[in-house]
Amino acid sequence: MGMSADSGLVSAPARADWTIDQGWASYTPEDHQVWLTLYDRQAALLPGRACEPFLGGLKALDLRGQGVPNFDVINARLGALTGWKVVAVPGLVPDEVFFEHLANRRFPAGRFIRKPDQLDYLEEPDVFHDVFGHVPMLTDPVFADYMQAYGAGGLRALHLGRLHNLARLYWYTVEFGLIETPDGLRIYGAGIVSSRGESQFSLEAPSPNRLAFDLMRVMRTPYRIDDFQQVYFVVPSFQRLLDETLKDFDPLYQQLADLPDLGIEAIEPGDQVFTRGDQAYARAGGRLPER
Ligand code: PHE
Ligand code: FE
């Protein structure tokens, strides 16, 4: 789940916090099979690619189970580990509602699951992206604190008119982040771990740039929502990510008001480069080359 584009909102909610019942009993056998198919595909790809906290979280929460997980079952375990819980929402929710949930250690997750003909791509986050992608990292105590702090920061950015900058931080960490480990780069971003294609592309393709995480740099870098990323940012550790983001962003937002955005595929003078991409994938038109 991410922040909304206003056009994606569903109609008025029954509850003020936009939560709904998951309605676990109404998933069909086909829904459960989609979960298992997606789970098994990713479970085969992610050892050696995803970071240890993610893989450990998958195990600790027993996310394969018998199909689409029941949020009540997840929450009993997750609550004991870090005090987070998953709540069901009908789809994308307004930014303020989303941040308010995160700031209170509640992760809003879609309840619907994609159809068997949409295994590789869909536009709105479903329960597989939200739960398989995001929830394992919430078992990591430092990352759990980062997500909560992000929610509080989102509410502040919203009122300061800098949400477009802060949203890039979410995108390039929570959704598409990489981490440096003694064994090499590893994935922690939910948008990557829940995608068969991007689990490989993000680490192995010669096309994208891979750059060291820098807070201001990230907040000046636009992103694409409809295809593999052209740039990934690499954090040295989750503790460093948390330490850097806990400082007051007000002075940063003031500077950002006068600084131009950077090119999505640019390498800037101050960048620490892990891999300089050739951008061949993006230049050939990406996912829809005939476009
Ligand atoms: N420190 C940020 C602020 O002052 C809040 C924040 C924390 C944002 C963690 C993102 C992640 O607004
Ligand atoms: Fe997401």
Side-chain angles (χ1 to χ4, degrees):
M1 181 63 51
M3 287 156 292
S4 65
D6 286 326
S7 57
L9 298 185
V10 295
S11 56
R15 301 184 195 136
D17 69 358
W18 286 68
T19 60
I20 55 173
D21 292 328
Q22 185 193 8
W24 187 79
S26 47
Y27 289 113
T28 65
E30 179 185 88
D31 291 335
H32 290 300
Q33 190 51 55
V34 168
W35 177 278
L36 293 173
T37 301
L38 290 167
Y39 186 100
D40 290 342
R41 283 184 0 170
Q42 291 313 102
L45 279 171
L46 292 176
R49 289 194 175 93
C51 67
E52 276 310 317
F54 177 86
L55 296 170
L58 268 190
K59 273 213 198 90
L61 299 172
D62 187 24
L63 283 188
R64 185 177 190 278
Q66 319 285 299
V68 183
N70 185 327
F71 294 176
D72 293 337
V73 175
I74 295 179
N75 286 342
R77 297 183 186 189
L78 184 59
L81 288 168
T82 57
W84 272 80
K85 70 186 283 197
V86 181
V87 294
V89 290
L92 295 174
V93 300
D95 295 324
E96 190 140 23
V97 174
F98 180 68
F99 295 139
E100 190 70 42
H101 281 301
L102 295 187
N104 290 284
R105 291 174 104 84
R106 293 186 300 263
F107 190 78
R111 76 159 299 284
F112 81 98
I113 188 156
R114 67 195 76 182
K115 295 293 163 202
D117 62 356
Q118 302 171 303
L119 294 189
D120 288 312
Y121 186 79
L122 82 169
E123 284 181 11
E124 270 205 77
D126 70 344
V127 67
F128 184 76
H129 167 80
D130 283 336
V131 172
F132 180 94
H134 285 281
V135 177
M137 287 305 297
L138 295 174
T139 65
D140 181 83
V142 176
F143 200 81
D145 286 352
Y146 173 65
M147 289 290 282
Q148 177 182 11
Y150 187 92
L155 292 169
R156 277 159 45 81
L158 193 60
H159 297 121
L160 293 168
R162 305 292 335 162
L163 192 53
H164 57 290
N165 295 117
L166 191 71
R168 294 166 178 172
L169 175 62
Y170 190 90
W171 193 263
Y172 283 119
T173 60
V174 178
E175 294 290 355
F176 292 96
L178 301 178
I179 184 168
E180 189 179 16
T181 80
D183 301 320
L185 301 187
R186 292 290 183 270
I187 305 162
Y188 70 92
I192 309 178
V193 290
S194 60
S195 158
R196 175 162 72 171
E198 203 151 2
S199 311
Q200 301 167 79
F201 180 90
S202 63
L203 291 176
E204 287 139 51
S207 192
N209 295 327
R210 299 178 185 86
L211 308 175
F213 177 84
D214 176 274
L215 183 55
M216 282 295 274
R217 203 310 178 186
V218 166
M219 289 204 284
R220 293 176 64 195
T221 310
Y223 55 84
R224 49 191 314 160
I225 61 167
D226 58 346
D227 209 329
F228 298 156
Q229 301 304 299
Q230 290 181 254
V231 55
Y232 298 91
F233 290 96
V234 181
V235 295
S237 69
F238 298 124
Q239 191 61 54
R240 282 282 298 280
L241 175 63
L242 180 62
D243 291 346
E244 273 212 49
T245 49
L246 280 180
K247 67 186 177 203
D248 185 357
F249 282 14
D250 273 4
L252 304 186
Y253 290 147
Q254 279 171 35
Q255 288 177 51
L256 283 167
D258 299 321
L259 289 169
D261 282 353
L262 300 172
I264 195 165
E265 59 175 73
I267 297 210
E268 296 293 321
D271 287 339
Q272 185 199 319
V273 180
F274 284 85
T275 334
R276 179 182 293 268
D278 60 19
Q279 299 295 336
Y281 172 84
R283 285 190 190 137
R287 191 169 64 84
L288 299 171
E290 67 277 19
R291 188 161 48 179

